[in-house]
Amino acid sequence: MTFRIGPRTNQIIAYSILLLMTLITVIVLFFIIGYVFKNGIGQLSLEFLTDKTREMGKEGGIFPSILGTFFVTIFAVVIATPLGVGSAVYLVEYTRGGLIHRIISFGADCLAGVPSIIYGLFGFIFFVITLNLGWSIISGGLTLAVMIIPTIIRTTEEAIKAVPHSFREISYSLGGGKLDTILKVVLPTSLPGILTGVILGIGRAVGETAAVIFTAGSSLGIPTSAFSSTRTLAVHFYILAREGISMPKAYATATVLIIIILLVNFIAYRLMHRFMERYY
Amino acid sequence: MRYLAILCMISLLACNQREGGIIIAGSTSIQLFIEKVAEYYMEKHPEIQINVQGGGSTAGVQATYNKICDIGISSRNLKEHEKRLTTILIAVDGIAVIIHKNNRVNNLSTEDIRSIFSGKIENWQDLGGRDEKIIPVTREEGSGTRGSFEDMIMGEAEISDACLVQDSNGAVREIIATTPQGIGYISVGLVDEREKAVAINGVLPTLENIASRKYRFSRPFLFLLLTEPQGNVRKFIDYVLSKEGQDILKKDGLIPATEIYND
Amino acid sequence: MKDKIAEKLLLFIAFSAILSLLLITFFIFQQGIPLIFKVGLGNFFSTHWAPTRGHFGILSMIIGSLMVTAGALVVGIPFGLACAIFLAEFSSPVVQKTLKPIIELLAGIPSVVYGFIGIVILVPFIREHFGGPGFSVLAASIILGIMILPTIVSISYDALVAVPNTYREGSYAVGATKWQTVRMLLMPAARSGIVAGIILGMGRAIGETMAVIMIAGNALKIPHSMLDSVRTLTSTLALELGYATGDHRAALFACGSFLFLIIILLNIIAIKITGRK
């Protein structure tokens, strides 16, 4: 007589395993963040956040990197957002479903998945050397912009597509033209979704290292112009950790970096929620 | 429209800035030391911005040629096809072969080191150590440190494909400091108490031994220039070669250019 | 009239954006592909990578990338699916609302932090308990697996949740347990979505650079075991980009082109599977 486990028992076993694995995943996450925070929180202080970097990172603070990260990210977003949103609007509203639309969407999907080091490769050869922009906020910002445009195109596309047709039809029936409809009905409605995409792009840009280290450089001074080289937080952390310059400072930098990204993701998540709640 | 305005403003600011800045790029070995000297220099001359990039000695040569930096830094002598650049010696640095603090081995011959890195010797036991597989760590191909190491120790033998590869001295040091079976090579100036530098052919890499050439494994730290240095660049180079600048380098474990005993 | 101007303006914007994206694609391929023909397919797909001496064989790095990606999938798929199934089918809405964003948080942690944790905790552990240098395929697989988890969880969860409730109700009506329903009905129904998520995760794993450079050791030799060091395509790009010139630089672009093609291929497969437009 063969011994068989009944479906009820099967379920209990399955449930336990699934629960266990989920718990392990969550624990791993908390462990990683907790480990970094535990070792880094001690170093955090107002001084650390506002002080210049000294002794190659062994002393001083991370103010130059905070500024640098800020400038590079803002630069990237300022360029990528209008280009990305504008393209998505054109694709959805003016070439809806056509072959061109599908090809471009596919292209954007592919480019969103291309490894960041390839953007670094491109940025280094094209922006830093060929265009002679040197290692600078501009080179870094442009490279990051190109990197996040595909993501913004895709998320904006999804957000705009989700606006019910009825909204547009009502607008047309009330006498609104295409542009008016887009500006006053479609865009405001899809705004949370669009912003979510932009903010997620910001999150990606802030944590980016490979594309930035080859284009914005790794200079430690406070950036004074768009042509200054700068060391973003992620790059600074990478250098501190790898070179073993100062483990406490490395952990502290990582802590600041993670906190910024958590904040950015949190905001994106809340926005996404509002967007979903409106229509689903 | 607003975006255009912002971009214009930034560019304007930028144009002013580019005049007063010095960009230095190249050897990761030299980068750390120069950053420190630059820090001191900028304290005295706050209107000058000095940016130091890494990338490796070969990258420094490229950057100087491509004019994306003002001064290139190289930790190896220039090859034939690179000789178009002017070089200025700022210091001499020894290359130390390092192993873990607890490794029993204290002395290796050049032949030993060559065999280790080319993969001929694979176990510490063959060198008087414990019965453990050797884990050799090397720098990437464009590294000046590796170039000098290959010239002075490897000779014709090639560094094996099985060696771990890291892209800076600091990274190599971190691995050796925490890996009991590891062996690597870094700047003498970077060796700290977490790892041990072996004596090569009986000679330890102390500063006296390097300066007197008793320890033969040293390489030049060079400034590379495409044209005759002018203005701010000239002033900075003068500072680095001055007593004050050289003292900073000396304090960090380098041999100042001014103190080399000429053969 | 306004409409016409707006349409032209938007067309211009879209055009510029598309142009910049095309620029990259074109740039990479134009710099890289000629080299492959110059040195010959035999050289390019050999196992000897010594670009300063004329050997441009990327095969050992392709194998490296594949091994590390496969390892990442071995780690990421079980845990990813487990979380997705648990969240979608076995937990209350409250748990779902709290746990899902937490797991997605994993996606936001920068890759250099993962690499760092790998160096500080995982590498010594592997070296002491399993042998080898610690910087290994195993270390890279585990860290990459953790990194692609959120992608797999997210997309699989969405795929499961999208299966109509009628499926579940019908199944319960004939007396099946939840687990039987999940195993025999829901998972097959959500299969295309789940596979798409896995493919996306694969793409992310193949493209990861920083974390891999920090913990894989970067030795050029083809690894003989999970405990050996390994070099991926992305690591080579990052290690040599700074100083490569001439043919060497072109070879790096060729690597980049290769990676690009793989991503395109993966995306095509994903679309075919999900039947999305």
Side-chain angles (χ1 to χ4, degrees), chain A residues 89 92-93 96 156 159-164 167-168 171-172 178-192 194 275 279:
Chain A
V89 167
V92 177
E93 300 294 325
R96 202 184 263 278
T156 307
I160 295 181
K161 276 210 259 193
V163 174
F167 281 41
R168 293 184 185 82
S171 174
Y172 294 145
K178 194 148 192 183
L179 176 66
D180 269 339
T181 309
I182 295 178
L183 285 181
K184 296 193 185 131
V185 177
V186 178
L187 279 184
T189 315
S190 50
L191 200 58
I194 297 179
F275 178 56
Y279 302 109

PDB file of all heavy atoms in Angstrom, chain A residues 89 92-93 96 156 159-164 167-168 171-172 178-192 194 275 279:
ATOM      1  N   VAL A  89       3.456  61.214 -25.271  1.00  0.00           N
ATOM      2  CA  VAL A  89       2.199  61.863 -25.669  1.00  0.00           C
ATOM      3  C   VAL A  89       2.018  61.743 -27.176  1.00  0.00           C
ATOM      4  O   VAL A  89       0.959  61.357 -27.673  1.00  0.00           O
ATOM      5  CB  VAL A  89       2.183  63.355 -25.258  1.00  0.00           C
ATOM      6  CG1 VAL A  89       1.048  64.083 -25.942  1.00  0.00           C
ATOM      7  CG2 VAL A  89       2.070  63.490 -23.761  1.00  0.00           C
ATOM      8  N   VAL A  92       1.155  58.061 -28.166  1.00  0.00           N
ATOM      9  CA  VAL A  92      -0.174  57.571 -27.817  1.00  0.00           C
ATOM     10  C   VAL A  92      -1.277  58.361 -28.509  1.00  0.00           C
ATOM     11  O   VAL A  92      -2.237  57.794 -29.019  1.00  0.00           O
ATOM     12  CB  VAL A  92      -0.385  57.609 -26.287  1.00  0.00           C
ATOM     13  CG1 VAL A  92      -1.792  57.159 -25.953  1.00  0.00           C
ATOM     14  CG2 VAL A  92       0.635  56.743 -25.600  1.00  0.00           C
ATOM     15  N   GLU A  93      -1.147  59.676 -28.523  1.00  0.00           N
ATOM     16  CA  GLU A  93      -2.250  60.482 -29.024  1.00  0.00           C
ATOM     17  C   GLU A  93      -2.252  60.629 -30.541  1.00  0.00           C
ATOM     18  O   GLU A  93      -3.286  60.834 -31.155  1.00  0.00           O
ATOM     19  CB  GLU A  93      -2.201  61.879 -28.385  1.00  0.00           C
ATOM     20  CG  GLU A  93      -2.318  61.858 -26.864  1.00  0.00           C
ATOM     21  CD  GLU A  93      -3.680  61.374 -26.402  1.00  0.00           C
ATOM     22  OE1 GLU A  93      -4.678  61.668 -27.072  1.00  0.00           O
ATOM     23  OE2 GLU A  93      -3.739  60.682 -25.378  1.00  0.00           O
ATOM     24  N   ARG A  96      -1.442  56.313 -32.439  1.00  0.00           N
ATOM     25  CA  ARG A  96      -1.971  55.235 -31.624  1.00  0.00           C
ATOM     26  C   ARG A  96      -1.995  53.878 -32.316  1.00  0.00           C
ATOM     27  O   ARG A  96      -2.645  53.714 -33.333  1.00  0.00           O
ATOM     28  CB  ARG A  96      -3.405  55.596 -31.206  1.00  0.00           C
ATOM     29  CG  ARG A  96      -3.882  54.866 -29.992  1.00  0.00           C
ATOM     30  CD  ARG A  96      -5.353  55.227 -29.730  1.00  0.00           C
ATOM     31  NE  ARG A  96      -5.512  56.274 -28.746  1.00  0.00           N
ATOM     32  CZ  ARG A  96      -5.492  56.054 -27.434  1.00  0.00           C
ATOM     33  NH1 ARG A  96      -5.282  54.857 -26.978  1.00  0.00           N
ATOM     34  NH2 ARG A  96      -5.668  57.040 -26.593  1.00  0.00           N
ATOM     35  N   THR A 156       5.108  56.729 -18.954  1.00  0.00           N
ATOM     36  CA  THR A 156       4.149  57.758 -19.377  1.00  0.00           C
ATOM     37  C   THR A 156       3.155  57.172 -20.358  1.00  0.00           C
ATOM     38  O   THR A 156       1.953  57.449 -20.297  1.00  0.00           O
ATOM     39  CB  THR A 156       4.876  58.953 -20.026  1.00  0.00           C
ATOM     40  OG1 THR A 156       5.893  59.409 -19.143  1.00  0.00           O
ATOM     41  CG2 THR A 156       3.914  60.070 -20.327  1.00  0.00           C
ATOM     42  N   ALA A 159       0.639  55.294 -18.489  1.00  0.00           N
ATOM     43  CA  ALA A 159      -0.243  56.193 -17.740  1.00  0.00           C
ATOM     44  C   ALA A 159      -1.257  56.859 -18.654  1.00  0.00           C
ATOM     45  O   ALA A 159      -2.435  56.971 -18.321  1.00  0.00           O
ATOM     46  CB  ALA A 159       0.584  57.252 -17.010  1.00  0.00           C
ATOM     47  N   ILE A 160      -0.797  57.297 -19.811  1.00  0.00           N
ATOM     48  CA  ILE A 160      -1.714  57.977 -20.733  1.00  0.00           C
ATOM     49  C   ILE A 160      -2.706  56.989 -21.328  1.00  0.00           C
ATOM     50  O   ILE A 160      -3.893  57.281 -21.475  1.00  0.00           O
ATOM     51  CB  ILE A 160      -0.928  58.690 -21.853  1.00  0.00           C
ATOM     52  CG1 ILE A 160      -0.079  59.805 -21.265  1.00  0.00           C
ATOM     53  CG2 ILE A 160      -1.876  59.250 -22.887  1.00  0.00           C
ATOM     54  CD1 ILE A 160       0.699  60.565 -22.294  1.00  0.00           C
ATOM     55  N   LYS A 161      -2.215  55.796 -21.627  1.00  0.00           N
ATOM     56  CA  LYS A 161      -3.112  54.795 -22.217  1.00  0.00           C
ATOM     57  C   LYS A 161      -4.224  54.443 -21.245  1.00  0.00           C
ATOM     58  O   LYS A 161      -5.318  54.045 -21.649  1.00  0.00           O
ATOM     59  CB  LYS A 161      -2.346  53.519 -22.588  1.00  0.00           C
ATOM     60  CG  LYS A 161      -1.681  53.588 -23.936  1.00  0.00           C
ATOM     61  CD  LYS A 161      -1.586  52.214 -24.582  1.00  0.00           C
ATOM     62  CE  LYS A 161      -0.225  51.629 -24.428  1.00  0.00           C
ATOM     63  NZ  LYS A 161       0.197  50.517 -25.149  1.00  0.00           N
ATOM     64  N   ALA A 162      -3.925  54.571 -19.943  1.00  0.00           N
ATOM     65  CA  ALA A 162      -4.906  54.171 -18.943  1.00  0.00           C
ATOM     66  C   ALA A 162      -6.027  55.181 -18.779  1.00  0.00           C
ATOM     67  O   ALA A 162      -7.038  54.898 -18.144  1.00  0.00           O
ATOM     68  CB  ALA A 162      -4.209  53.960 -17.591  1.00  0.00           C
ATOM     69  N   VAL A 163      -5.835  56.367 -19.325  1.00  0.00           N
ATOM     70  CA  VAL A 163      -6.909  57.354 -19.226  1.00  0.00           C
ATOM     71  C   VAL A 163      -8.076  56.875 -20.092  1.00  0.00           C
ATOM     72  O   VAL A 163      -7.909  56.643 -21.291  1.00  0.00           O
ATOM     73  CB  VAL A 163      -6.436  58.745 -19.706  1.00  0.00           C
ATOM     74  CG1 VAL A 163      -7.606  59.714 -19.725  1.00  0.00           C
ATOM     75  CG2 VAL A 163      -5.312  59.257 -18.822  1.00  0.00           C
ATOM     76  N   PRO A 164      -9.242  56.731 -19.499  1.00  0.00           N
ATOM     77  CA  PRO A 164     -10.370  56.168 -20.254  1.00  0.00           C
ATOM     78  C   PRO A 164     -10.710  57.017 -21.476  1.00  0.00           C
ATOM     79  O   PRO A 164     -10.635  58.247 -21.431  1.00  0.00           O
ATOM     80  CB  PRO A 164     -11.525  56.191 -19.245  1.00  0.00           C
ATOM     81  CG  PRO A 164     -10.874  56.313 -17.908  1.00  0.00           C
ATOM     82  CD  PRO A 164      -9.610  57.059 -18.119  1.00  0.00           C
ATOM     83  N   PHE A 167     -13.130  59.975 -21.284  1.00  0.00           N
ATOM     84  CA  PHE A 167     -12.677  61.310 -20.885  1.00  0.00           C
ATOM     85  C   PHE A 167     -12.407  62.162 -22.115  1.00  0.00           C
ATOM     86  O   PHE A 167     -12.823  63.315 -22.206  1.00  0.00           O
ATOM     87  CB  PHE A 167     -11.382  61.217 -20.059  1.00  0.00           C
ATOM     88  CG  PHE A 167     -11.601  60.820 -18.633  1.00  0.00           C
ATOM     89  CD1 PHE A 167     -12.515  59.834 -18.287  1.00  0.00           C
ATOM     90  CD2 PHE A 167     -10.884  61.435 -17.606  1.00  0.00           C
ATOM     91  CE1 PHE A 167     -12.714  59.470 -16.975  1.00  0.00           C
ATOM     92  CE2 PHE A 167     -11.074  61.072 -16.279  1.00  0.00           C
ATOM     93  CZ  PHE A 167     -11.994  60.093 -15.967  1.00  0.00           C
ATOM     94  N   ARG A 168     -11.698  61.572 -23.076  1.00  0.00           N
ATOM     95  CA  ARG A 168     -11.353  62.342 -24.268  1.00  0.00           C
ATOM     96  C   ARG A 168     -12.618  62.668 -25.057  1.00  0.00           C
ATOM     97  O   ARG A 168     -12.800  63.783 -25.544  1.00  0.00           O
ATOM     98  CB  ARG A 168     -10.401  61.536 -25.159  1.00  0.00           C
ATOM     99  CG  ARG A 168      -9.040  61.325 -24.542  1.00  0.00           C
ATOM    100  CD  ARG A 168      -8.106  60.598 -25.514  1.00  0.00           C
ATOM    101  NE  ARG A 168      -6.833  60.276 -24.889  1.00  0.00           N
ATOM    102  CZ  ARG A 168      -6.646  59.223 -24.122  1.00  0.00           C
ATOM    103  NH1 ARG A 168      -7.647  58.394 -23.865  1.00  0.00           N
ATOM    104  NH2 ARG A 168      -5.455  59.000 -23.577  1.00  0.00           N
ATOM    105  N   SER A 171     -14.476  65.490 -23.726  1.00  0.00           N
ATOM    106  CA  SER A 171     -13.809  66.749 -24.033  1.00  0.00           C
ATOM    107  C   SER A 171     -14.087  67.181 -25.465  1.00  0.00           C
ATOM    108  O   SER A 171     -14.399  68.340 -25.740  1.00  0.00           O
ATOM    109  CB  SER A 171     -12.309  66.598 -23.806  1.00  0.00           C
ATOM    110  OG  SER A 171     -11.638  67.752 -24.214  1.00  0.00           O
ATOM    111  N   TYR A 172     -13.985  66.230 -26.392  1.00  0.00           N
ATOM    112  CA  TYR A 172     -14.244  66.581 -27.794  1.00  0.00           C
ATOM    113  C   TYR A 172     -15.685  67.044 -27.971  1.00  0.00           C
ATOM    114  O   TYR A 172     -15.967  68.010 -28.670  1.00  0.00           O
ATOM    115  CB  TYR A 172     -13.981  65.397 -28.715  1.00  0.00           C
ATOM    116  CG  TYR A 172     -12.523  64.974 -28.777  1.00  0.00           C
ATOM    117  CD1 TYR A 172     -12.166  63.648 -28.914  1.00  0.00           C
ATOM    118  CD2 TYR A 172     -11.507  65.926 -28.692  1.00  0.00           C
ATOM    119  CE1 TYR A 172     -10.853  63.255 -28.975  1.00  0.00           C
ATOM    120  CE2 TYR A 172     -10.176  65.538 -28.733  1.00  0.00           C
ATOM    121  CZ  TYR A 172      -9.846  64.200 -28.872  1.00  0.00           C
ATOM    122  OH  TYR A 172      -8.548  63.824 -28.931  1.00  0.00           O
ATOM    123  N   LYS A 178      -7.792  68.916 -30.011  1.00  0.00           N
ATOM    124  CA  LYS A 178      -6.915  67.829 -29.563  1.00  0.00           C
ATOM    125  C   LYS A 178      -5.922  68.315 -28.503  1.00  0.00           C
ATOM    126  O   LYS A 178      -5.732  67.697 -27.467  1.00  0.00           O
ATOM    127  CB  LYS A 178      -6.157  67.253 -30.758  1.00  0.00           C
ATOM    128  CG  LYS A 178      -5.497  65.938 -30.445  1.00  0.00           C
ATOM    129  CD  LYS A 178      -5.438  65.046 -31.666  1.00  0.00           C
ATOM    130  CE  LYS A 178      -5.038  63.632 -31.249  1.00  0.00           C
ATOM    131  NZ  LYS A 178      -4.906  62.742 -32.367  1.00  0.00           N
ATOM    132  N   LEU A 179      -5.279  69.443 -28.784  1.00  0.00           N
ATOM    133  CA  LEU A 179      -4.278  69.956 -27.854  1.00  0.00           C
ATOM    134  C   LEU A 179      -4.904  70.260 -26.504  1.00  0.00           C
ATOM    135  O   LEU A 179      -4.382  69.875 -25.458  1.00  0.00           O
ATOM    136  CB  LEU A 179      -3.628  71.218 -28.429  1.00  0.00           C
ATOM    137  CG  LEU A 179      -2.620  71.883 -27.479  1.00  0.00           C
ATOM    138  CD1 LEU A 179      -1.435  70.963 -27.268  1.00  0.00           C
ATOM    139  CD2 LEU A 179      -2.166  73.214 -28.029  1.00  0.00           C
ATOM    140  N   ASP A 180      -6.051  70.937 -26.563  1.00  0.00           N
ATOM    141  CA  ASP A 180      -6.748  71.271 -25.326  1.00  0.00           C
ATOM    142  C   ASP A 180      -7.050  70.018 -24.527  1.00  0.00           C
ATOM    143  O   ASP A 180      -6.846  69.951 -23.308  1.00  0.00           O
ATOM    144  CB  ASP A 180      -8.074  71.970 -25.634  1.00  0.00           C
ATOM    145  CG  ASP A 180      -7.893  73.474 -25.694  1.00  0.00           C
ATOM    146  OD1 ASP A 180      -6.887  73.952 -25.116  1.00  0.00           O
ATOM    147  OD2 ASP A 180      -8.728  74.140 -26.301  1.00  0.00           O
ATOM    148  N   THR A 181      -7.545  69.024 -25.243  1.00  0.00           N
ATOM    149  CA  THR A 181      -7.904  67.779 -24.562  1.00  0.00           C
ATOM    150  C   THR A 181      -6.688  67.191 -23.873  1.00  0.00           C
ATOM    151  O   THR A 181      -6.743  66.771 -22.728  1.00  0.00           O
ATOM    152  CB  THR A 181      -8.451  66.753 -25.574  1.00  0.00           C
ATOM    153  OG1 THR A 181      -9.472  67.356 -26.338  1.00  0.00           O
ATOM    154  CG2 THR A 181      -8.968  65.526 -24.857  1.00  0.00           C
ATOM    155  N   ILE A 182      -5.583  67.173 -24.611  1.00  0.00           N
ATOM    156  CA  ILE A 182      -4.375  66.611 -24.021  1.00  0.00           C
ATOM    157  C   ILE A 182      -3.955  67.411 -22.797  1.00  0.00           C
ATOM    158  O   ILE A 182      -3.719  66.864 -21.725  1.00  0.00           O
ATOM    159  CB  ILE A 182      -3.214  66.593 -25.043  1.00  0.00           C
ATOM    160  CG1 ILE A 182      -3.546  65.649 -26.194  1.00  0.00           C
ATOM    161  CG2 ILE A 182      -1.927  66.172 -24.362  1.00  0.00           C
ATOM    162  CD1 ILE A 182      -2.488  65.621 -27.256  1.00  0.00           C
ATOM    163  N   LEU A 183      -3.886  68.720 -22.965  1.00  0.00           N
ATOM    164  CA  LEU A 183      -3.370  69.535 -21.877  1.00  0.00           C
ATOM    165  C   LEU A 183      -4.298  69.581 -20.678  1.00  0.00           C
ATOM    166  O   LEU A 183      -3.855  69.596 -19.539  1.00  0.00           O
ATOM    167  CB  LEU A 183      -3.125  70.968 -22.364  1.00  0.00           C
ATOM    168  CG  LEU A 183      -1.882  71.161 -23.234  1.00  0.00           C
ATOM    169  CD1 LEU A 183      -1.755  72.623 -23.610  1.00  0.00           C
ATOM    170  CD2 LEU A 183      -0.648  70.708 -22.476  1.00  0.00           C
ATOM    171  N   LYS A 184      -5.621  69.617 -20.937  1.00  0.00           N
ATOM    172  CA  LYS A 184      -6.508  69.852 -19.808  1.00  0.00           C
ATOM    173  C   LYS A 184      -7.166  68.594 -19.292  1.00  0.00           C
ATOM    174  O   LYS A 184      -7.711  68.584 -18.194  1.00  0.00           O
ATOM    175  CB  LYS A 184      -7.590  70.853 -20.218  1.00  0.00           C
ATOM    176  CG  LYS A 184      -7.001  72.198 -20.554  1.00  0.00           C
ATOM    177  CD  LYS A 184      -8.075  73.275 -20.652  1.00  0.00           C
ATOM    178  CE  LYS A 184      -7.444  74.584 -21.106  1.00  0.00           C
ATOM    179  NZ  LYS A 184      -8.197  75.182 -22.215  1.00  0.00           N
ATOM    180  N   VAL A 185      -7.145  67.533 -20.063  1.00  0.00           N
ATOM    181  CA  VAL A 185      -7.827  66.328 -19.591  1.00  0.00           C
ATOM    182  C   VAL A 185      -6.855  65.164 -19.426  1.00  0.00           C
ATOM    183  O   VAL A 185      -6.728  64.586 -18.352  1.00  0.00           O
ATOM    184  CB  VAL A 185      -8.952  65.915 -20.579  1.00  0.00           C
ATOM    185  CG1 VAL A 185      -9.592  64.622 -20.122  1.00  0.00           C
ATOM    186  CG2 VAL A 185      -9.976  67.026 -20.663  1.00  0.00           C
ATOM    187  N   VAL A 186      -6.167  64.828 -20.503  1.00  0.00           N
ATOM    188  CA  VAL A 186      -5.344  63.615 -20.468  1.00  0.00           C
ATOM    189  C   VAL A 186      -4.166  63.741 -19.501  1.00  0.00           C
ATOM    190  O   VAL A 186      -3.952  62.895 -18.633  1.00  0.00           O
ATOM    191  CB  VAL A 186      -4.831  63.283 -21.888  1.00  0.00           C
ATOM    192  CG1 VAL A 186      -3.941  62.061 -21.840  1.00  0.00           C
ATOM    193  CG2 VAL A 186      -5.993  63.057 -22.818  1.00  0.00           C
ATOM    194  N   LEU A 187      -3.395  64.823 -19.685  1.00  0.00           N
ATOM    195  CA  LEU A 187      -2.191  64.964 -18.860  1.00  0.00           C
ATOM    196  C   LEU A 187      -2.491  65.084 -17.364  1.00  0.00           C
ATOM    197  O   LEU A 187      -1.896  64.371 -16.558  1.00  0.00           O
ATOM    198  CB  LEU A 187      -1.341  66.152 -19.331  1.00  0.00           C
ATOM    199  CG  LEU A 187      -0.455  65.845 -20.544  1.00  0.00           C
ATOM    200  CD1 LEU A 187       0.419  67.025 -20.879  1.00  0.00           C
ATOM    201  CD2 LEU A 187       0.407  64.631 -20.275  1.00  0.00           C
ATOM    202  N   PRO A 188      -3.424  65.983 -16.985  1.00  0.00           N
ATOM    203  CA  PRO A 188      -3.686  66.076 -15.549  1.00  0.00           C
ATOM    204  C   PRO A 188      -4.142  64.745 -14.967  1.00  0.00           C
ATOM    205  O   PRO A 188      -3.786  64.399 -13.842  1.00  0.00           O
ATOM    206  CB  PRO A 188      -4.810  67.117 -15.465  1.00  0.00           C
ATOM    207  CG  PRO A 188      -4.662  67.919 -16.706  1.00  0.00           C
ATOM    208  CD  PRO A 188      -4.175  66.982 -17.743  1.00  0.00           C
ATOM    209  N   THR A 189      -4.932  63.996 -15.740  1.00  0.00           N
ATOM    210  CA  THR A 189      -5.431  62.721 -15.232  1.00  0.00           C
ATOM    211  C   THR A 189      -4.304  61.724 -15.052  1.00  0.00           C
ATOM    212  O   THR A 189      -4.282  60.952 -14.099  1.00  0.00           O
ATOM    213  CB  THR A 189      -6.451  62.121 -16.211  1.00  0.00           C
ATOM    214  OG1 THR A 189      -7.344  63.158 -16.625  1.00  0.00           O
ATOM    215  CG2 THR A 189      -7.224  61.014 -15.548  1.00  0.00           C
ATOM    216  N   SER A 190      -3.385  61.709 -15.991  1.00  0.00           N
ATOM    217  CA  SER A 190      -2.322  60.702 -15.931  1.00  0.00           C
ATOM    218  C   SER A 190      -1.123  61.199 -15.150  1.00  0.00           C
ATOM    219  O   SER A 190      -0.116  60.498 -15.040  1.00  0.00           O
ATOM    220  CB  SER A 190      -1.905  60.305 -17.344  1.00  0.00           C
ATOM    221  OG  SER A 190      -1.642  61.453 -18.111  1.00  0.00           O
ATOM    222  N   LEU A 191      -1.242  62.413 -14.597  1.00  0.00           N
ATOM    223  CA  LEU A 191      -0.087  63.009 -13.917  1.00  0.00           C
ATOM    224  C   LEU A 191       0.547  62.126 -12.847  1.00  0.00           C
ATOM    225  O   LEU A 191       1.759  61.959 -12.825  1.00  0.00           O
ATOM    226  CB  LEU A 191      -0.474  64.370 -13.321  1.00  0.00           C
ATOM    227  CG  LEU A 191       0.713  65.281 -13.014  1.00  0.00           C
ATOM    228  CD1 LEU A 191       1.523  65.530 -14.272  1.00  0.00           C
ATOM    229  CD2 LEU A 191       0.252  66.595 -12.438  1.00  0.00           C
ATOM    230  N   PRO A 192      -0.247  61.553 -11.927  1.00  0.00           N
ATOM    231  CA  PRO A 192       0.386  60.702 -10.900  1.00  0.00           C
ATOM    232  C   PRO A 192       1.213  59.585 -11.517  1.00  0.00           C
ATOM    233  O   PRO A 192       2.322  59.314 -11.074  1.00  0.00           O
ATOM    234  CB  PRO A 192      -0.798  60.147 -10.105  1.00  0.00           C
ATOM    235  CG  PRO A 192      -1.906  61.096 -10.348  1.00  0.00           C
ATOM    236  CD  PRO A 192      -1.708  61.633 -11.724  1.00  0.00           C
ATOM    237  N   ILE A 194       2.587  59.538 -14.482  1.00  0.00           N
ATOM    238  CA  ILE A 194       3.777  60.116 -15.115  1.00  0.00           C
ATOM    239  C   ILE A 194       4.821  60.448 -14.064  1.00  0.00           C
ATOM    240  O   ILE A 194       6.001  60.114 -14.188  1.00  0.00           O
ATOM    241  CB  ILE A 194       3.418  61.399 -15.902  1.00  0.00           C
ATOM    242  CG1 ILE A 194       2.455  61.079 -17.033  1.00  0.00           C
ATOM    243  CG2 ILE A 194       4.671  62.058 -16.429  1.00  0.00           C
ATOM    244  CD1 ILE A 194       2.052  62.286 -17.832  1.00  0.00           C
ATOM    245  N   PHE A 275      -2.946  57.236  -7.953  1.00  0.00           N
ATOM    246  CA  PHE A 275      -3.286  57.029  -9.353  1.00  0.00           C
ATOM    247  C   PHE A 275      -4.196  55.806  -9.500  1.00  0.00           C
ATOM    248  O   PHE A 275      -5.209  55.849 -10.185  1.00  0.00           O
ATOM    249  CB  PHE A 275      -1.992  56.842 -10.141  1.00  0.00           C
ATOM    250  CG  PHE A 275      -2.189  56.573 -11.607  1.00  0.00           C
ATOM    251  CD1 PHE A 275      -2.904  57.453 -12.392  1.00  0.00           C
ATOM    252  CD2 PHE A 275      -1.647  55.456 -12.195  1.00  0.00           C
ATOM    253  CE1 PHE A 275      -3.077  57.210 -13.746  1.00  0.00           C
ATOM    254  CE2 PHE A 275      -1.814  55.217 -13.556  1.00  0.00           C
ATOM    255  CZ  PHE A 275      -2.526  56.088 -14.322  1.00  0.00           C
ATOM    256  N   TYR A 279      -8.797  55.172 -10.408  1.00  0.00           N
ATOM    257  CA  TYR A 279      -9.421  54.527 -11.557  1.00  0.00           C
ATOM    258  C   TYR A 279      -9.730  53.059 -11.381  1.00  0.00           C
ATOM    259  O   TYR A 279     -10.308  52.465 -12.248  1.00  0.00           O
ATOM    260  CB  TYR A 279      -8.542  54.696 -12.792  1.00  0.00           C
ATOM    261  CG  TYR A 279      -8.319  56.150 -13.076  1.00  0.00           C
ATOM    262  CD1 TYR A 279      -7.080  56.723 -12.868  1.00  0.00           C
ATOM    263  CD2 TYR A 279      -9.380  56.959 -13.467  1.00  0.00           C
ATOM    264  CE1 TYR A 279      -6.890  58.060 -13.072  1.00  0.00           C
ATOM    265  CE2 TYR A 279      -9.192  58.293 -13.665  1.00  0.00           C
ATOM    266  CZ  TYR A 279      -7.959  58.849 -13.460  1.00  0.00           C
ATOM    267  OH  TYR A 279      -7.771  60.175 -13.649  1.00  0.00           O
TER     268      TYR A 279
END
